[in-house]
Amino acid sequence: MGGQADLILEWCSLKGEGTLRSFDDVCRVAFGDSIKSSRLLQELELSGHVEVDWVRTGRWSVNPPVLSLIEGAGGNAALIGARSRSAVSKLAQLVESDVIVALNVVEQGPASPTAVFVAAPSYKALDHAAHAIGAMAKTAVRLEYMNALVQLEDALAAATSEFTASGIQAKRFNVSALRFEPCEIRFSVWRPGCYEQMSYGLHRYLFVDGEGKLHNVDRWLAIHAEINRVRSEGEATVVPLSWSSETESLFCDARAQLPIMWARAAVFCSGLLPIRHKDGRDGHFVDEYRGVLGATYNRIRDSLGYTAQEVDHKEVVTDAYT
């Protein structure tokens, strides 16, 4: 382990919190212009290492370290949150002393953080390993995220606001094309829809519901809300989510990505970041989340306002140590 993305994660762990500008500066030193810093920060967020306030402050903060069992990873536990090379070295020493069975590091791309998995023979051993690196041991972080998912309308209600940015140089989301297009906002009159605008150097997103209420939310919540609004008016729209029973993979159109809580529920089915593919028909990108059980997929789909999809089997949660 030792790629540039891991060094940036270690920098985040040491610093604790910071601005998007500071993160962008560090990424520019590490990668130059070869990757977008926002993409790496999003991957760190998806992996549970950091939290990012994209909507209000534009700041990030690192999460406390956690060793959590991943049901779809053969009884391995993923190291989530703050991470350092010394912590990984201590885990390697525990393998040599037979406290834990194995330490597995999975590369996820030249500009992505590695996934670190710990194989422990018992929960007591896992707890010992967590204590050795100042972390907390958990049994199933995926279930915590899945059970915490709220219905889309409840997420929107929590972000209802009387005010928003001015609307200067705003763009409106076109559901048919799944992209933002320039629009004109006069006298701060916002028609129902999903909008993108710049405010204090940040891209901010607004969803206006059918009653004219304003909801200042993140990009992906706003987009899924708009798709549902247009569908409720009887217009044909593309559902951006699908699932394969053969591979247990959740597929999501990258132009309408999963919001962070929903994405983490999918990521922690395997502990791995989604793989991005290019669709052969029109060239747009699709994110593939691996190892997502049917019940988890339908919980994600239903809570985002889409009709449940028939799946071939029920989800069974097992204890790795029984």
Side-chain angles (χ1 to χ4, degrees):
M1 192 183 81
Q4 296 292 75
D6 289 323
L7 291 177
I8 290 176
L9 172 55
E10 184 167 15
W11 173 81
C12 291
S13 302
L14 292 171
K15 188 172 175 59
E17 62 178 346
T19 64
L20 296 183
R21 170 66 71 83
S22 66
F23 188 87
D24 183 67
D25 290 342
V26 169
C27 285
R28 196 173 298 277
V29 171
F31 294 103
D33 296 324
S34 62
I35 70 159
K36 291 184 178 180
S37 61
S38 59
R39 178 63 184 172
L40 175 55
L41 186 58
Q42 184 184 33
E43 291 194 350
L44 292 175
E45 185 182 31
L46 282 179
S47 303
H49 296 301
V50 301
E51 302 294 337
V52 187
D53 185 352
W54 302 99
V55 177
R56 294 176 296 275
T57 65
R59 295 185 64 86
W60 58 268
S61 59
V62 72
N63 283 323
V66 170
L67 273 176
S68 177
L69 282 172
I70 304 295
E71 295 147 278
N76 283 279
L79 178 55
I80 306 166
R83 194 170 79 192
S84 66
R85 284 170 291 180
S86 62
V88 176
S89 295
K90 288 180 181 178
L91 291 173
Q93 292 171 9
L94 292 179
V95 175
E96 294 177 359
S97 59
D98 295 328
V99 174
I100 58 178
V101 176
L103 176 66
N104 300 303
V105 178
V106 180
E107 300 289 339
Q108 300 192 91
S112 301
T114 55
V116 176
F117 295 97
V118 171
S122 65
Y123 184 80
K124 182 178 180 180
L126 182 67
D127 188 60
H128 179 90
H131 181 75
I133 61 172
M136 177 186 296
K138 289 195 173 186
T139 55
V141 71
R142 174 192 63 87
L143 290 177
E144 293 184 21
Y145 279 106
M146 192 181 81
N147 292 334
L149 296 182
V150 299
Q151 294 301 119
L152 181 62
E153 56 266 28
D154 293 328
L156 294 173
T160 302
S161 174
E162 295 182 9
F163 305 100
T164 190
S166 65
I168 296 175
Q169 295 183 324
K171 296 181 180 179
R172 186 176 182 182
F173 190 70
N174 182 330
V175 170
S176 298
L178 293 180
R179 66 171 180 243
F180 285 94
E181 300 173 345
C183 67
E184 188 173 356
I185 305 297
R186 288 181 173 271
F187 310 112
S188 296
V189 177
W190 297 90
R191 299 176 59 189
C194 170
Y195 299 89
E196 177 187 75
Q197 53 193 323
M198 288 294 294
S199 177
Y200 296 100
L202 292 175
H203 288 280
R204 299 185 188 272
Y205 297 87
L206 171 70
F207 172 67
V208 184
D209 63 26
E211 298 178 355
K213 293 181 180 178
L214 309 179
H215 306 274
N216 289 304
V217 292
D218 71 33
R219 176 188 180 105
W220 309 118
L221 275 174
I223 287 175
H224 286 286
E226 176 63 358
I227 293 173
N228 277 277
R229 185 192 69 80
V230 172
R231 288 175 64 242
S232 70
E233 294 183 348
E235 296 185 34
T237 61
V238 174
V239 175
L241 303 176
S242 62
W243 181 77
S244 167
S245 60
E246 294 182 1
T247 62
E248 291 191 328
S249 289
L250 184 161
F251 297 93
C252 182
D253 193 311
R255 297 169 296 182
Q257 295 177 35
L258 294 177
I260 184 60
M261 293 292 286
W262 288 261
R264 281 181 177 172
V267 165
F268 290 130
C269 287
S270 65
L272 300 172
L273 289 166
I275 301 172
R276 179 157 289 185
H277 306 281
K278 181 174 286 189
D279 188 284
R281 293 168 297 179
D282 61 10
H284 74 269
F285 289 101
V286 175
D287 291 331
E288 178 186 355
Y289 295 82
R290 293 154 286 175
V292 178
L293 298 175
T296 301
Y297 166 65
N298 267 339
R299 177 66 181 271
I300 291 171
R301 185 179 172 107
D302 175 74
S303 58
L304 286 176
Y306 305 109
T307 305
Q309 178 178 323
E310 184 177 350
V311 297
D312 294 339
H313 59 273
K314 295 182 180 179
E315 179 172 359
V316 178
V317 178
T318 59
D319 188 337
Y321 297 125
T322 59

